[in-house]
Every structure is written in structure tokens, then in C-alpha cells.
Amino acid sequence: MASRTRAPAAPGAPAALERDFERFRRELPRDFAAHVRDTFRIDLTGRYLGHAIPHPIGKGSGQLSLNAGQLEDAAAAGLAFAVLKTVIAEDETGAQTMAAWAVHETRMKVERRAAADGRPGWTVTWKGRGWDRSFTEYLALVRAGRDLTRAGRLLVVPSVKYHLPRLGEPFREAEYRYTTARLADAWGEPPLLVEKDFSPTLAGDALADDRAQILRWLREVPGRIRAASPIPVRVAVKLMNARFDDQFQVEMMKESRGADALVVFNRLFDVERGVAFGGWDLSDRNLRVLDGMTPGTPHLRAGSVVPLTPGASPGIPALTGTGNIGSGRMLLEYARRGCESVQLHTFFQLPLSEYPATRGSRTQRALHALVFHPQDGLIAGLLELEARGEVARRDGELHFLDVPALAHRAR
Ligand SMILES: Cc1cc2nc3c(=O)[nH]c(=O)nc-3n(C[C@H](O)[C@H](O)[C@H](O)COP(=O)(O)O)c2cc1C
């Protein structure tokens, strides 16, 4: 808890940061958020789907959350949350309208991908789509995630691709009902948390050629999931990068008011190669669109109080960022535009030589760089925002969540 008696961070904080960066190369303490609070007086608490999490960094849905071993590894590394691979909804007979997304493909290629302007970056090329094993196996994974969540070790959230009809066609309610009820049953205690994926491969599909059709999905899908669930449910909508302009992305966000959270925005789609991709082009676009929602961030004076209600912007759900996050600085770019947490995939897959840490799992090495890097890490970035007067300490502490709260205020 914030204490009024705590002194502001010592002027020597960056030296302490250098020291921690060096010694944690060999081993990152699992509860590094508590260490950061004690050492730097920085509260890293983030938020995802209404849950307070010890810091804002989680794993996005995909190939890194396919089995219980990967979840255990994430929990052991001290990750804040993990979203399970997207499962394709089905009805009680096993019929899946979106079956074309349940593609089996094992080979992923971690590749360098330069941005349109030449900046070198990374992407993961992969032709697969959703979960390709049985729904029963998925439910077993949900139960493993539930146990980790209950134990307070890792917040785990399932992800679903539900049926999306053409304009004028009805939603297949049986798929919504059956899939959500089974998830709720596996989860047990309410609320059920669900992420609904509007994927980049969908953006590349003829189904997503029509703007009015996409906007109808966004308006109606959160309500459909709520109506289908036998227990209270919180819905995050993971928005795709549609093949329209930035203004349409903003429109998509505004139409998604029925969701509890928005994940902004899934990867771009390379029509020529028929694959989704990331890198700097992805973060450039995502940040530009989020800028369209935030007309300039006001500065926070020392001692002023920031409202910390989730989704504080009128009419816009709480935000979670995704796309080319490979440093604490990039994480803060999303936070300054309102994101209360972030979901990474590519940065957990780089060659080991790309991480400054010399030991530990990829997740640990990634967290070490993201949080403790003396120039590009989250702590360094927050101290810099403080030095520039963009955030101020309250009761002697800097709070990560004050950064997105400022963006919400500006809206
Ligand atoms: C190989 C791969 C598989 C993915 N599968 C899914 C998925 O099934 N559902 C989903 O919502 N997002 C999926 N994603 C998107 C990621 O969760 C993430 O949002 C996206 O890659 C942007 O983050 P990054 O730049 O850190 O990779 C996938 C990404 C990759 C690279």
C-alpha cells in the first residue's frame, strides 16, 4: 500500500537501476514488482479486464499459450497474465461455422522484418490459425489456467472466435451458448473472463470487406456473449487491423462500447504473402490510431489526484495494448495513449542473443529487459516521464496506472 511516510526516490535511483539490471541478468526475482516498489518507489500495478495485476505485462493469445507447461513457465517467470490460444466456437453437435480458422500448422518462423521506412524489426511468420485440437482438450487447459488464477500465480483468460454472420444473417446462437456455457463450467467461480478475437486472417477474408458488417459485429458480439453465459462474464474484444483507413479503426473502437475492454490492435495482414505480420509498421499504425482518440496528454502536477476507474474515458472501454512491444519505452507509448496493460507475443520468441540476460527462460529474459533496462526499460521510462513533469508522485510513489489515467482524462 502507498505510505505517506515514504520518502521520494533517492536521486541515485538510476545507479540502483544499473545495479539491478546487471545482477538480474543471471536471475530475475519472481516478485520483481515488489522489489521495484521497495527500491524505486514505483508501483507497477496494471489492470486487465477489471483485474488488478502486479505489473502490466502479459502474453497475448497464440502459440505460447497452448499447454499447461507454457502457463507454468509464465507463472514461474512472474508474468502478470496470459491469454490462451483462440479456440473456435462450436455448438453441442461439434459444428463450427468458423471452422476454416481451426487450421493445423506447427512451423513458426521468427524473421527480421523492416518497416516501410526501413527500420529493422522482428515478426513471426506462421500460417496457422486457431486451436486445432478438441474443445475438451481446450477445457482442460482452461481448468489449468483457472487453478493458476485462483492460486494468485497468473491471471489466465480464454480466447474465442465466435460465429460472425454476413449482414442480414442471424448469429449462430447455439455456438455462442454451448461454447460459453462449457467455458463457464470449466471456470467455475464468476466472473468468467473471455477475450473475443477478431483476427488478422479475418481482416484478410472476404467476410471483412464490408464496413457495415464489421461494425454490426462489434456492436452486437459482446451482448451475444453476455446473453449466452450462465454466469456473469467480462468481455475483452481484440480488434483487428481492418483493411480500411485509420478513421475506421477509431470508428471500430467507438462501436465496441458494449465490451469491458479492448485489445488494440491485432497484427497487420500481408495480402500478397497471405500472412499476418508485426514489427514497426504495426506499432506505428496502432499508436497513430490511439492518438486519434487522445487529443494531447495533460501534465500532472505533484500531489494532484488521478481518477483510477477502469475505462474512465466516456464511451470507450478499458484498453490493453498489443503490437511490437519490445521495450519498456514502447510499453509506455501504449500506456500514454490509455493502455492499462500490454500483451506481447513476438518479444517472447527472439533468438537468445537478443536479450541482455544470460540465464533464465525467454519469458524471464524478456521481462528483465522490458522492466530493468537502464535506458529503454519501464523503470527508466517512468523516471523520465517524472523528470519531464508528465507524471508526479503521490504519497512518494510513482504509479504506472497514472499514465493511462492521464490519457483517459484528456479524452
Ligand atoms: C504465431 C502467432 C499466433 C497468434 N495467434 C493468435 C491467436 O490465436 N489469437 C489472437 O487473438 N492473437 C494471436 N496472435 C496475436 C498476438 O497475440 C499479438 O496480439 C500480436 O502478435 C501482436 O503482438 P507482438 O507484436 O508482440 O507479436 C498470434 C501471434 C503470433 C505471432
Side-chain angles (χ1 to χ4, degrees):
M1 289 298 290
S3 153
R4 284 173 190 281
T5 55
R6 276 180 178 164
L17 185 54
E18 293 273 2
R19 185 203 60 203
D20 282 346
F21 177 68
E22 285 307 320
R23 67 193 177 118
F24 295 158
R25 275 180 199 266
R26 291 181 301 280
E27 192 176 0
L28 182 71
R30 194 198 169 278
D31 196 356
F32 62 84
H35 171 84
V36 169
R37 197 158 190 173
D38 286 345
T39 309
F40 303 98
R41 303 284 185 256
I42 295 178
D43 169 15
L44 291 180
T45 301
R47 198 184 288 117
Y48 179 59
L49 261 178
H51 267 257
I53 43 182
H55 60 82
I57 307 165
K59 194 181 265 190
S61 173
Q63 304 322 99
L64 308 176
S65 46
L66 290 169
N67 58 56
Q70 289 170 319
L71 296 182
E72 181 55 45
D73 171 73
L79 208 67
F81 67 104
V83 184
L84 300 181
K85 177 70 189 170
T86 300
V87 72
I88 312 304
E90 62 184 53
D91 68 13
E92 55 280 1
T93 70
Q96 299 174 313
T97 321
M98 307 298 273
W101 272 266
V103 172
H104 177 76
E105 169 73 54
T106 49
R107 256 188 78 243
M108 277 188 285
K109 206 167 159 209
V110 181
E111 296 182 296
R112 292 187 183 273
R113 179 170 180 124
D117 64 9
R119 269 170 301 165
W122 293 94
T123 190
V124 180
T125 304
W126 180 67
K127 293 230 174 187
R129 293 181 169 192
W131 178 264
D132 59 4
R133 285 174 271 152
S134 73
F135 190 33
T136 306
E137 285 169 276
Y138 193 79
L139 293 169
L141 184 60
V142 171
R143 284 191 289 274
R146 171 202 64 192
D147 292 345
L148 285 168
T149 304
R150 299 263 151 85
R153 297 185 59 217
L154 178 74
L155 173 64
V156 177
V157 176
S159 163
V160 185
K161 189 184 293 294
Y162 289 95
H163 172 235
L164 298 172
R166 294 184 182 286
L167 261 183
E169 284 179 1
F171 283 84
R172 297 273 164 94
E173 274 173 33
E175 292 185 14
Y176 278 75
R177 223 179 313 115
Y178 181 72
T179 302
T180 314
R182 301 275 326 256
L183 288 175
D185 183 52
W187 192 257
E189 226 170 85
L192 172 67
L193 307 185
V194 181
E195 206 173 275
K196 155 69 189 153
D197 174 31
F198 285 87
S199 65
T201 41
L202 174 67
D205 191 275
L207 200 55
D209 279 347
D210 185 328
R211 295 176 194 229
Q213 191 157 283
I214 296 175
L215 297 178
R216 175 200 177 200
W217 296 337
L218 297 173
R219 262 193 315 272
E220 295 195 25
V221 161
R224 301 265 162 197
I225 299 172
R226 273 185 234 294
S229 181
I231 61 173
V233 60
R234 287 194 212 140
V235 181
V237 165
K238 186 167 184 179
L239 291 171
M240 60 182 163
N241 262 302
R243 284 176 299 161
F244 303 113
D245 58 10
D246 293 358
Q247 191 47 43
F248 186 70
Q249 290 298 123
V250 172
E251 230 176 291
M252 284 176 32
M253 289 177 76
K254 289 184 176 162
E255 286 299 337
S256 306
R257 280 185 292 268
D260 297 290
L262 299 181
V263 186
V264 286
F265 299 95
N266 210 332
R267 302 202 295 167
L268 298 164
F269 193 71
D270 183 331
V271 182
E272 262 166 44
R273 294 178 67 196
V275 292
F277 69 96
W280 294 100
D281 289 340
L282 175 60
S283 49
D284 283 355
R285 176 165 215 227
N286 288 355
L287 297 176
R288 201 170 62 228
V289 170
L290 293 175
D291 274 340
M293 302 290 297
T294 319
T297 305
H299 288 196
L300 183 66
R301 291 186 313 280
S304 56
V305 178
V306 170
L308 291 181
T309 36
S313 300
I316 304 284
L319 301 179
T320 290
T322 190
N324 194 39
I325 297 164
S327 70
R329 278 187 191 279
M330 180 58 88
L331 192 169
L332 283 169
E333 291 301 322
Y334 279 91
R336 294 174 76 229
R337 291 160 178 85
C339 297
E340 300 177 328
S341 51
V342 288
Q343 304 186 356
L344 287 61
H345 200 293
T346 302
F347 195 61
F348 293 130
Q349 292 185 279
L350 299 188
L352 286 182
S353 57
E354 294 295 313
Y355 304 104
T358 52
R359 279 167 56 186
S361 65
R362 269 196 176 68
T363 316
Q364 281 170 320
R365 293 179 199 220
L367 285 169
H368 166 256
L370 290 165
V371 177
F372 289 98
H373 193 284
Q375 281 85 43
D376 295 332
L378 182 55
I379 299 169
L382 282 166
L383 292 173
E384 198 177 294
L385 289 183
E386 181 189 22
R388 292 210 308 256
E390 285 196 32
V391 285
R393 286 173 190 268
R394 290 185 284 116
D395 299 331
E397 282 193 333
L398 278 181
H399 299 267
F400 167 77
L401 279 175
D402 282 357
V403 180
L406 280 170
H408 288 300
R409 244 191 181 186
R411 286 182 193 133

